Amino acid sequence: MTTSREIAQLCGVSVATVSRVFNQPSTVSRQTRERVERVARELDYRPNESARALASKRSTLVGLVWDTDHRRPGWRHPFLQDLLLGLKSALSAHGYHLLMLATSGAETGSANLPAVGASLADPVAYVNMTRRHHLGGLILIDSGSDAAAFAAFAQSGIPCVALDVAIEGPRATYVTSDNTDGAEQAVRHLIAGGHRRIATITGPPDNQPAIDRLAGYRRAMAEAGLPVPEEYVAEGDFYRASGQAAMRRLLALGEPPTAVFAAGDEMAVGALLTAREAGLRVPGDVALAGFDDIEIAALVDPALTTVAQDKAGFGVAAAEAMLAMINGSGGDTPAPRRLPTRLVVRSST
Amino acid sequence: MTTSREIAQLCGVSVATVSRVFNQPSTVSRQTRERVERVARELDYRPNESARALASKRSTLVGLVWDTDHRRPGWRHPFLQDLLLGLKSALSAHGYHLLMLATSGAETGSANLPAVGASLADPVAYVNMTRRHHLGGLILIDSGSDAAAFAAFAQSGIPCVALDVAIEGPRATYVTSDNTDGAEQAVRHLIAGGHRRIATITGPPDNQPAIDRLAGYRRAMAEAGLPVPEEYVAEGDFYRASGQAAMRRLLALGEPPTAVFAAGDEMAVGALLTAREAGLRVPGDVALAGFDDIEIAALVDPALTTVAQDKAGFGVAAAEAMLAMINGSGGDTPAPRRLPTRLVVRSST
DNA sequence: CTGAAAGCGCTTACAG
DNA sequence: CTGAAAGCGCTTACAG
């Protein structure tokens, strides 16, 4: 590994000048700058990240908080792969790397070293990791009910971008899909298909996207002047089994719905299975729409009408917000972003 | 952030002693050690990672090489989420974090700073990143045809663990499923079901798991004394569309197979769709088995018989191999691991 | 068993 | 525009 000292010697300048060429190029004369740049390129020089972070207190790392504790409900993210891909490529384009922060398992840490992993039960641990590594900020992926911990991060002053959960703080923002609008589109589509008895299967009541999707359902129903009897709002938890259970309850009703909007595709698939078991034709006897457009949505029979999110765009938007805060002058925290969704009509409606 | 200096002052010792308590505890008297440990715990002290890495030349980071260049064929990993989960939790348990290394996009790097991202076309860039960040090693995920680049990493002396691709080098090893055995199990199962005309849809011919699965198919066929006409080996690329195309070719044969083993579930699903289109009943007219046990395998109709890999165990095994090399005395590179697979019989056979 | 000192490779005021 | 110097917070021979 070539060091700044070697470059400096070869160019007949001090290491300070070499450093300036890469950090405040405008303060260096064009002549020296070009000389240093050329030699650096030839020797494939790049500053040592540990030294740079130590001296400048800023690294090129952005932390990812994604609690994978087995003991958590830990629902699988509907599109983690695309999300990571978007995050990573947008960060990469600006020279940043994504650090998946260790989460403390039961017996984290060696016998001697203090524990290294963090748990969302103890947000301070993450804050400490952020400072020890001089991370540029934290990207927060909700794994179920991390809102409280995320709020703590947001207050710490560390740049934070949360996905699908609203946070606020001096340097905190979030990215989400326009869940309300997406749900509204789906329910309007059902209404346009002639349905009037339309039920919904919701996500967990403390989950923001779930709340917003329910609001979209209610709004579309209200717009059309359709009633929403209490029993038509069946609670689920985004998992398939809860969709099955909710669908059984709906079908057992005196006046069962002729259409169901499930706030997540997994639940929609569960509802589909239950309808099939009950001998109902989909969409003939009951129409079904979901949310997320996960891979299996297109594959079940009948293929599921659903609301697609901009999966990779989600990651890109989060990365952009983070970079804006890192490079920004400080006061300019980006506003929350609400990405548009798109109704994908298939044969289940 | 409390520093080692503060701890030292509070304990009335030198920073050297504080450092020793955490790095070579046996060289410190029990009395001082306990005092330092207590104070450190009270102040929630943990060493600054940048400083530690700079001074010791070793960090608590392990790099993940996963090329996500859009221009690559970039087939989606069949179970990236579980893989990451396994990796992350096993690394976390030993205080290591996973660093997703930036890949150079088209225009990586700011105007002034040298480009930061690396491309597999230029393995040296990754090697440099490894040294600049003092990474403990590199975990290599193949995204299609990275074998050449991976071989270069393996020769660099950096601890490397590849997933599903065989590498060798002074400190290199790999983890894979027992693909041959898994395929053999699947094909034996078809044979046991009375089939004799059994075809296979393969993965790319340069892909190691694809090669091994084909070998397993051949072995099972040979064991049973069944012929394998050339046309019964239909090449695919692991994607669904290739499974459809291959299935069409197989069905057009003079003597079409009565059973097909696809070397990947996506292709098996493609084959299933094609069979359905052709008006064939599965498994009545043609039985189908896949490989991977991805989520949709259980969901298609009929549900797919397939070979399940130990998804999270994959990540754990890779992490363990890496940790063994990092903490090992040096000479002891772990032997490649071949994880057992498990046949999951469903209704497509 | 412990401390003083050098050093890891940078960055950043401070002078000039 | 440039350099000398201090410093970032640790670790690690080297003495004692």
Side-chain angles (χ1 to χ4, degrees), chain B residues 244-269:
Chain B
Q244 297 180 279
M247 190 64 171
R248 273 193 287 273
R249 275 177 273 140
L250 291 172
L251 294 179
L253 254 30
E255 277 211 324
T258 65
V260 174
F261 163 64
D265 281 349
E266 280 290 344
M267 297 194 297
V269 166

Side-chain angles (χ1 to χ4, degrees), chain A residues 44 46 88 103 115 295-296, chain B residues 46 88 103 115 128 266 296:
Chain A
D44 200 26
R46 291 194 190 76
K88 173 160 140 18
T103 12
E295 215 188 334
I296 53 176
Chain B
R46 290 194 190 75
K88 174 160 139 15
T103 12
N128 281 345
E266 280 290 344
I296 54 175

Side-chain angles (χ1 to χ4, degrees), chain B residues 84-96:
Chain B
L84 287 181
L85 195 147
L87 263 176
K88 174 160 139 15
S89 52
L91 289 176
S92 294
H94 294 262
Y96 280 81

Side-chain angles (χ1 to χ4, degrees), chain B residues 59-243:
Chain B
S59 75
T60 55
L61 307 182
V62 169
L64 179 72
V65 175
W66 174 45
D67 195 345
T68 50
D69 190 327
H70 314 314
R71 294 160 301 187
R72 301 278 319 279
W75 68 296
R76 309 169 58 76
H77 192 97
F79 45 84
L80 188 81
Q81 178 152 348
D82 289 305
L83 179 68
L84 287 181
L85 195 147
L87 263 176
K88 174 160 139 15
S89 52
L91 289 176
S92 294
H94 294 262
Y96 280 81
H97 305 271
L98 190 63
L99 182 61
M100 295 186 56
L101 263 5
T103 12
S104 69
E107 74 310 31
T108 294
S110 73
N112 311 305
L113 259 177
V116 176
S119 152
L120 286 173
D122 174 22
V124 177
Y126 278 109
V127 174
N128 281 345
M129 293 209 282
T130 303
R131 305 212 197 286
R132 298 207 309 279
H133 287 276
H134 302 291
L135 303 183
L138 252 25
I139 307 265
L140 311 171
I141 299 186
D142 188 20
S143 353
S145 49
D146 304 331
F150 289 3
F153 298 146
Q155 292 308 320
S156 69
I158 294 171
C160 287
V161 179
L163 298 176
D164 264 342
V165 35
I167 56 173
E168 45 188 64
R171 308 193 65 191
T173 188
Y174 60 94
V175 175
T176 184
S177 281
D178 195 336
N179 289 294
T180 304
D181 181 68
E184 209 176 332
Q185 286 180 57
V187 177
R188 272 198 199 135
H189 164 72
L190 294 171
I191 294 170
H195 295 280
R196 298 186 56 80
R197 300 211 310 266
I198 305 173
T200 187
I201 302 175
T202 72
D206 60 345
N207 176 280
Q208 194 58 49
I211 293 168
D212 294 342
R213 291 170 197 178
L214 177 55
Y217 160 80
R218 287 193 189 282
R219 196 191 291 174
M221 294 296 276
E223 270 176 15
L226 295 175
V228 177
E230 188 100 349
E231 325 82 71
Y232 271 24
V233 178
E235 186 178 322
D237 62 7
F238 281 136
Y239 284 107
R240 191 177 303 169
S242 77

